[in-house]
Amino acid sequence: MPTPIITFTSDFGMRDWFVGVVHGVIHERCPDARIVDLSHAIEPGDVASAAFVLEAAAPDFPAGTVHLTVVDPGVGTARRALAMAAHGHVFVGPDNGVLEWALMDPRAIAHALNESKFFRHPVSRTFHGRDVFAPVATHIALGVPIEKLGPRVTDPVRLARPRLEPRDGGILGRVAYIDHFGNALTTITTEALEEAFPRVGEGQLWVEVVGRKIDGIARSYGDAPIGTLVAIVGSSGRLEVAEVGGHAASRFGFGVGDPLWVRVRGRE
Amino acid sequence: MPTPIITFTSDFGMRDWFVGVVHGVIHERCPDARIVDLSHAIEPGDVASAAFVLEAAAPDFPAGTVHLTVVDPGVGTARRALAMAAHGHVFVGPDNGVLEWALMDPRAIAHALNESKFFRHPVSRTFHGRDVFAPVATHIALGVPIEKLGPRVTDPVRLARPRLEPRDGGILGRVAYIDHFGNALTTITTEALEEAFPRVGEGQLWVEVVGRKIDGIARSYGDAPIGTLVAIVGSSGRLEVAEVGGHAASRFGFGVGDPLWVRVRGRE
Amino acid sequence: MPTPIITFTSDFGMRDWFVGVVHGVIHERCPDARIVDLSHAIEPGDVASAAFVLEAAAPDFPAGTVHLTVVDPGVGTARRALAMAAHGHVFVGPDNGVLEWALMDPRAIAHALNESKFFRHPVSRTFHGRDVFAPVATHIALGVPIEKLGPRVTDPVRLARPRLEPRDGGILGRVAYIDHFGNALTTITTEALEEAFPRVGEGQLWVEVVGRKIDGIARSYGDAPIGTLVAIVGSSGRLEVAEVGGHAASRFGFGVGDPLWVRVRGRE
């Protein structure tokens, strides 16, 4: 068996000991696991951002990776807890939409976490990351099949995701995430661009966001002078808007949800 | 021997290379150790907060864990350095109260770190985390018994801890820590509640903090509508005050040291 | 072969998944590597600060350590990518001066990263940390010699570094870095002090920075009362200016680049 990788995403922050305690739970049960922290800076309860982080990062990991995702404002209530096989990976988290990317795999299989023998005891009221999700993720990394964890779930909670809309001969997407560099990552993937604009070169496209027009898709951040706003296909395979050498979001006021058009030049 | 776990708590912050260098010192000497960062966001020199983090987190780790705790405003002065066996774990840090939780074990045994052969050389004036505490913690993880490290210490520095006071038929505790979610963790443990209010249901209690009254102890953060202030037994086994879906400390101005009463309804 | 250590320094921040994805790329290819994060809080594109972090931290690591350093504002442009053997370590990063400390070893040998078989594919336009530098660092940790990675480079980009100037019977240095504690780390190393002031005791020296005079070099932060400004030889072997129990940089307004004189008392 290859060394298991467990990724970990949460809204726990890095100030307190919550992330460390989860690492301890995993290491105690599976010292061979390699734990990779994706982000613990999700705003408390921001399920949509955590789902986006998982969607952006998980495809970069090898088959068999276990993704532990704990943004769980309903901890202690009747909300279900899930493990899901999808995309060749396994996902563990609350049933609140945070695992939306897994559900986009039509062959995704979800099971509820009902078998308390895989939990850490006693189970607290407020920290299922430590007591339910981390021990279950560890058992999966150690080889427990997800069907042992509880009954099949066929109606997991879905996250409402903005659809791309054809509009005025182009497509309308949204800003989905502002990253550390101030780049605005959007809902428009390379696949969506290819589907919407077959046989159209990137240089033929233009992008409009919050009243700013950007001509063509750049090949690198360094293609244009410092301060220029560029559109570029970023590292997670989606269109992003960046300021060369600057922080586009704070300079231009971009925020999650802002509309973004892509059109072909000459077809406006 | 099971894979050793070394937890690491400090006031080093994450901006500089200090935490990384300590990891390097450990990995160089004991590649098998699993290092778990508890917090490096302790305010510089805030011994009491670091002691609280250790008290809250250490019980979640398995027997044999080594806890490296470096909040050390007296580095380079005559303050002693300690290793301590307590609660089935080992604790390493300066003799300034940061290891208070270990000292609460009546069978705790402390030794001074005098044997410089376990240090990294040359020993700097300002970074004993790297040169003294981390190498010693690593030697302990590798099996060196603490009595080899230096002479027994029978008068380690204690941290003044606010005692719970019986008051008006209830108990008076304090806010001990504000966490990332804005929850106010208190000095009142489940054991203290059971001792003060034997045979009293949680629904019979009420809590008063900074002029706010909270009726009963909630079973989860989701028990009440968004914005409600609830009292709940948190994941480290102590009473905490939280705002459902919000940041209680910033909304209500809670701070470390604020008094908090717990009383039985009808016995005021 | 000893367990390889890979340090990792970047301007990626900790909010997003970029650091985690790089860890995943390394763990997938070399599960035995121990990854040590030095800092991911470098300001975006601040090559000089990243070079300073590497200079301050790398000497604390054992021979054979691989240092992955990704502050790469020119990603996607024609800038070269390098691997360099120096000081008994190996350094991987863009050819923009970030590896300056390696180049200070007169025996440093640099190779361009041209052999794409060592990359992760497809190579994105914007994230060579994931697609070029991390896979190459991992191959090096696995034993690939740097001459296999591409042709020798004899003219790597150097970072302009302020030289120490003899001045008025003393030496003039600069503040090079403000750390988390507010200490001002300077360009003046212990070697420079010994060379400039042979046979002069530390108590004979005085330091002037931004109009403040400091008498003598302290032996520890605890040598003087709270609030005192002290000069001390810090843990990376260079002179630093610190406020006992305080944050010198914010109290006195120190910043990177500020001049700093060291003179011998009585020789002004």
Side-chain angles (χ1 to χ4, degrees), chain C residues 180-240:
Chain C
H180 165 71
F181 296 99
N183 300 343
L185 282 61
T186 75
T187 55
I188 301 175
T189 61
T190 37
E191 292 78 25
L193 285 177
E194 281 158 16
E195 193 183 320
F197 308 108
R199 291 177 305 279
V200 175
E202 292 187 347
Q204 301 301 112
L205 296 175
W206 61 273
V207 172
E208 184 179 346
V209 55
V210 192
R212 302 260 157 193
K213 294 192 180 185
I214 305 166
D215 207 28
I217 311 285
R219 295 204 59 81
S220 87
Y221 298 131
D223 267 9
I226 297 283
T228 312
L229 201 62
V230 297
I232 191 166
V233 173
S235 57
S236 60
R238 64 189 64 236
L239 197 67
E240 50 186 82

Side-chain angles (χ1 to χ4, degrees), chain A residues 65 67 84-91 101-105 107-109 146:
Chain A
T65 298
H67 300 282
M84 210 178 309
H87 304 294
H89 299 213
V90 185
F91 299 81
W101 185 66
L103 289 165
M104 290 167 67
D105 178 351
R107 291 165 306 168
I109 293 174
I146 64 168

Side-chain angles (χ1 to χ4, degrees), chain A residues 59-182:
Chain A
D60 287 345
F61 286 82
T65 298
V66 179
H67 300 282
L68 171 62
T69 312
V70 189
V71 175
D72 190 19
V75 61
T77 67
R79 69 96 186 86
R80 293 179 297 197
L82 297 179
M84 210 178 309
H87 304 294
H89 299 213
V90 185
F91 299 81
V92 177
D95 183 25
N96 62 10
V98 77
L99 305 180
E100 175 63 25
W101 185 66
L103 289 165
M104 290 167 67
D105 178 351
R107 291 165 306 168
I109 293 174
H111 283 261
L113 309 185
N114 285 15
E115 283 293 342
S116 64
K117 70 179 171 192
F118 299 111
F119 301 170
R120 181 180 184 279
H121 295 277
V123 174
S124 66
R125 300 173 186 183
T126 62
F127 196 1
H128 288 191
R130 176 189 67 185
D131 302 329
V132 174
F133 297 112
V136 164
T138 311
H139 278 105
I140 293 168
L142 287 165
V144 173
I146 64 168
E147 55 268 26
K148 300 270 189 190
L149 303 170
R152 179 87 185 261
V153 170
T154 54
D155 60 343
V157 172
R158 301 297 302 251
L159 196 67
R161 308 178 82 242
R163 289 174 166 274
L164 298 184
E165 300 170 33
R167 171 84 61 110
D168 302 340
I171 50 175
L172 170 62
R174 299 274 168 187
V175 173
Y177 188 92
I178 305 292
D179 77 12
H180 165 71
F181 297 98

Side-chain angles (χ1 to χ4, degrees), chain C residues 5-257:
Chain C
I5 295 177
I6 300 178
T7 80
F8 180 22
T9 303
S10 79
D11 58 358
F12 293 171
M14 297 295 285
R15 279 188 52 235
D16 311 316
W17 54 90
F18 310 132
V19 169
V21 160
V22 166
H23 281 232
V25 165
I26 296 171
H27 281 318
E28 180 181 358
R29 289 157 179 77
C30 182
D32 276 348
R34 300 299 183 254
I35 308 173
V36 173
D37 295 299
L38 292 182
S39 174
H40 300 294
I42 306 292
E43 287 296 310
D46 184 352
V47 167
S49 285
F52 185 84
V53 166
L54 202 59
E55 178 174 345
D60 287 345
F61 286 81
T65 298
V66 179
H67 300 282
L68 171 62
T69 312
V70 190
V71 175
D72 190 19
V75 60
T77 67
R79 68 95 186 86
R80 293 178 297 195
L82 298 179
M84 210 178 310
H87 303 293
H89 298 214
V90 186
F91 300 81
V92 177
D95 182 26
N96 62 12
V98 76
L99 305 180
E100 176 63 25
W101 185 66
L103 290 165
M104 290 167 67
D105 178 352
R107 291 166 307 168
I109 293 174
H111 284 261
L113 308 185
N114 286 16
E115 283 292 342
S116 63
K117 71 180 169 191
F118 298 111
F119 300 168
R120 182 181 183 279
H121 295 276
V123 174
S124 67
R125 300 173 186 182
T126 62
F127 196 2
H128 288 191
R130 177 189 66 186
D131 302 329
V132 174
F133 298 112
V136 163
T138 311
H139 279 105
I140 292 167
L142 287 164
V144 173
I146 65 169
E147 54 269 27
K148 299 270 189 190
L149 302 170
R152 180 85 185 263
V153 169
T154 54
D155 60 343
V157 172
R158 300 298 303 251
L159 196 67
R161 307 180 81 244
R163 289 174 167 275
L164 297 183
E165 301 170 33
R167 170 85 61 109
D168 302 340
I171 50 175
L172 170 62
R174 299 274 168 186
V175 173
Y177 188 92
I178 305 293
D179 77 11
H180 165 71
F181 296 99
N183 300 343
L185 282 61
T186 75
T187 55
I188 301 175
T189 61
T190 37
E191 292 78 25
L193 285 177
E194 281 158 16
E195 193 183 320
F197 308 108
R199 291 177 305 279
V200 175
E202 292 187 347
Q204 301 301 112
L205 296 175
W206 61 273
V207 172
E208 184 179 346
V209 55
V210 192
R212 302 260 157 193
K213 294 192 180 185
I214 305 166
D215 207 28
I217 311 285
R219 295 204 59 81
S220 87
Y221 298 131
D223 267 9
I226 297 283
T228 312
L229 201 62
V230 297
I232 191 166
V233 173
S235 57
S236 60
R238 64 189 64 236
L239 197 67
E240 50 186 82
V241 176
E243 180 189 344
V244 177
H247 192 285
S250 59
R251 178 160 164 216
F252 298 103
F254 301 149
V256 169

